[in-house]
Amino acid sequence: MAEVQKRQLRFERFGLESIPQELQQTRWYEYSFIQATFSVNAGNFLVPALAVLQGHLSILAAILSTTIGAAVAFLLVSYLSLPGARYGIPAQYAMRSFLGVKGAQWISSPIRTITSLYWFSVQTVGGSYVIQKMLLSYFHVHVPFTMLAVILSTIMAILALIGFEAVKKVTKRFFPLLLIGQVVILWLFIRSLQASSISLTHGAHEFSLSTCLFYASLAFIQYISGVTSSSDITRYAKTGTHGFWGLYVGNVLGFVMTAVLATLGAGLFQNENPFIATSTLTTSSIVVGLMVICSMISMISINLSNAYTGGLSLLNSLPALGRIKAAILFGLLGIALSTLPQLVSEAKTYISMLGAFVVPLSAVIVAEFLWINKRTLIPIQTKSINKLAIGHALIGALIYFFIPDQYSPGFTLFVLTFISYGLTKHFVSGKARDLSPL
């Protein structure tokens, strides 16, 4: 009996069932630490850096435009965290209220699982290359890429298997070190900025509002998929308010730091990754070592989230597995995919394909929860499916490929799907439904 109790304390076994109220004790500032730690990573540097490198925006314009786009997405993500905080249920289980049981099990959950798997693999591949390069360049230690990727992905999969408590403890313990690393990078960048002719307010080209809107929309689309997973994290929240504001404050502050570092690195050194850019500014093995550690921490932190939420999404599709087996299966798939560098080299194609399904589905979910259901979950019949919602998501996925790039397909499609579904559902229903809590 003692051995069983010890094992239960070690591995989280709560799957689709509600978290007991006595375990819902996580406060807003703890969530802020978690989300801020998740934010600073190679994947999140990309859009702000590209706003400078390819959009030719000034550093300040790139920071402001991408932060505005991300902040709007984070607001919707926080709203969709309320089901988890209020009822203690995972995100994909809450999706049953919006899409129906079958709609959630066989459409939204597989899409969320694939999305989490892809980003888990991309973060591992990118992080492994950065760490491999820095170890070889400054410490003359060569670690084969496949070996490094397998070791790192295995560590992250095991931590995610342990559950939310591991996510909370790892981020809390390593956040101070990661913050120190970010401050060091910022200090080195500011020194370089003072010694250069680079301006914060002037880009390579004249200011363009349309370009600002384009990169704001890219940031929005990058983070809006979080509406299908945010309840996974907040199901341990003390209250809905703690979960909502904890996520929002941590996400926004974390992104601001991410955008500042990414745009400065891009503007000063034409490099998309501040960790790599910083390593060229110093010969100190201590500083370079700190960058290696921070790069590893940032990758592990975000992938804990990807693996944890991905495992719960897989569980919603295959509930007979149980949380432990679902987490193990997700981890094995993630480890295997993390050895495929082409997931990064062909990222534009894969991200576009994922976006075609994620964007309209996210728009339908946001419309259903905020507009139709007035931020309340309603009981749903067993084996039901919301055909109208699924139909809008599938039609939106087809339309996505026909919207020209200059009109920002992702953001345009989200707005059109949100309005179309909301109006159609309102008129089809004829009147508001009885919104009794789940």
Side-chain angles (χ1 to χ4, degrees):
M1 178 67 72
E3 182 181 351
V4 173
Q5 289 178 342
K6 182 177 180 181
R7 190 164 54 201
Q8 287 178 335
L9 287 173
R10 185 177 179 184
F11 294 104
E12 178 184 328
R13 294 185 178 273
F14 296 108
L16 301 181
E17 67 270 31
S18 298
I19 298 298
Q21 190 171 4
E22 62 269 18
L23 297 181
Q24 293 179 301
Q25 298 298 323
T26 306
R27 299 177 181 274
W28 73 270
Y29 55 84
E30 293 178 290
Y31 279 119
S32 292
F33 284 139
I34 291 172
Q35 296 306 117
T37 306
F38 287 166
S39 295
V40 182
N41 60 73
N44 290 352
F45 289 141
L46 191 59
V47 171
L50 290 179
V52 174
L53 296 174
Q54 295 184 8
H56 306 294
L57 293 176
S58 69
I59 292 173
L60 185 59
I63 292 172
L64 290 176
S65 60
T66 55
T67 297
I68 290 171
V72 175
F74 291 145
L75 183 63
L76 299 178
V77 168
S78 286
Y79 273 118
L80 266 296
S81 75
L82 292 175
R86 289 172 178 170
Y87 308 113
I89 56 176
Q92 288 302 317
Y93 193 79
M95 295 302 116
R96 297 183 179 196
S97 178
F98 313 139
L99 307 174
V101 176
K102 287 185 177 179
Q105 283 186 309
W106 301 119
I107 296 180
S108 68
S109 288
I111 290 174
R112 181 68 238 180
T113 302
I114 292 170
T115 301
S116 295
L117 268 175
Y118 177 74
W119 285 111
F120 179 93
S121 306
V122 166
Q123 293 286 358
T124 304
V125 170
S128 297
Y129 269 129
V130 170
I131 294 170
Q132 182 190 47
K133 181 178 179 179
M134 295 177 76
L135 288 174
L136 182 61
S137 299
Y138 297 94
F139 299 99
H140 307 293
V141 176
H142 174 69
V143 181
F145 166 78
T146 300
M147 179 188 296
L148 189 59
V150 168
I151 291 172
L152 292 173
S153 57
T154 300
I155 292 172
M156 293 179 284
I158 292 173
L159 288 173
L161 173 64
I162 294 173
F164 177 75
E165 200 59 32
V167 176
K168 195 161 112 174
K169 287 182 178 179
V170 167
T171 53
K172 184 183 294 185
R173 290 178 180 176
F174 287 107
F175 178 76
L177 184 59
L178 190 58
L179 183 61
I180 291 172
Q182 293 168 17
V183 171
V184 170
I185 295 174
L186 186 59
W187 174 68
L188 290 171
F189 281 179
I190 290 175
R191 284 180 55 190
S192 299
L193 182 65
Q194 291 173 339
S196 73
S197 59
I198 301 293
S199 170
L200 291 175
T201 57
H202 292 85
H205 294 172
E206 290 186 6
F207 175 79
S208 170
L209 180 59
S210 62
T211 303
C212 287
L213 292 174
F214 175 76
Y215 282 97
S217 70
L218 284 186
F220 173 85
I221 295 307
Q222 181 176 0
Y223 296 105
I224 192 59
S225 65
V227 300
T228 62
S229 63
S230 55
S231 280
D232 293 338
I233 301 297
T234 57
R235 64 198 299 222
Y236 284 90
K238 194 172 182 64
T239 65
T241 301
H242 278 278
F244 181 98
W245 288 110
L247 258 61
Y248 193 68
V249 171
N251 279 330
V252 171
L253 292 181
F255 183 83
V256 169
M257 176 60 83
T258 299
V260 168
L261 297 180
T263 53
L264 283 172
L268 289 168
F269 309 105
Q270 306 299 299
N271 197 306
E272 297 171 359
N273 193 310
F275 292 123
I276 295 178
T278 303
S279 65
T280 65
L281 299 178
T282 178
T283 57
S284 170
S285 59
I286 294 177
V287 174
V288 174
L290 178 62
M291 293 304 103
V292 172
I293 293 172
C294 287
S295 179
M296 187 179 300
I297 292 173
S298 68
M299 176 186 59
I300 290 175
S301 297
I302 187 61
N303 266 354
L304 276 178
S305 175
N306 287 327
Y308 181 69
T309 60
L312 289 173
S313 297
L314 182 60
L315 175 62
N316 190 53
S317 292
L318 304 170
L321 286 176
R323 201 200 83 84
I324 299 298
K325 290 181 181 178
I328 292 173
L329 178 56
F330 182 93
L332 292 174
L333 292 171
I335 292 168
L337 291 174
S338 295
T339 62
L340 304 176
Q342 56 266 39
L343 291 176
V344 173
S345 60
E346 299 177 18
K348 185 176 181 180
T349 300
Y350 292 121
I351 291 173
S352 179
M353 292 174 62
L354 286 173
F357 294 97
V358 169
V359 170
L361 182 63
S362 298
V364 165
I365 290 168
V366 171
E368 185 74 30
F369 185 60
L370 296 184
W371 186 348
I372 307 301
N373 292 351
K374 310 298 182 185
R375 291 181 287 174
T376 307
L377 294 188
I378 63 169
I380 199 75
Q381 293 181 355
T382 305
K383 298 183 180 180
S384 62
I385 184 169
N386 185 340
K387 295 180 181 178
L388 185 62
I390 301 303
H392 269 75
L394 293 177
I395 292 172
L398 294 175
I399 293 174
Y400 178 89
F401 295 102
F402 293 96
I403 302 177
D405 289 343
Q406 60 265 34
Y407 293 108
S408 185
F411 185 72
T412 301
L413 182 60
F414 181 91
V415 174
L416 291 176
T417 305
F418 177 86
I419 295 173
S420 173
Y421 177 75
L423 290 175
T424 304
K425 186 63 177 285
H426 178 74
F427 287 116
V428 167
S429 300
K431 60 180 180 178
R433 293 180 294 174
D434 177 23
L435 300 178
S436 54
L438 183 71

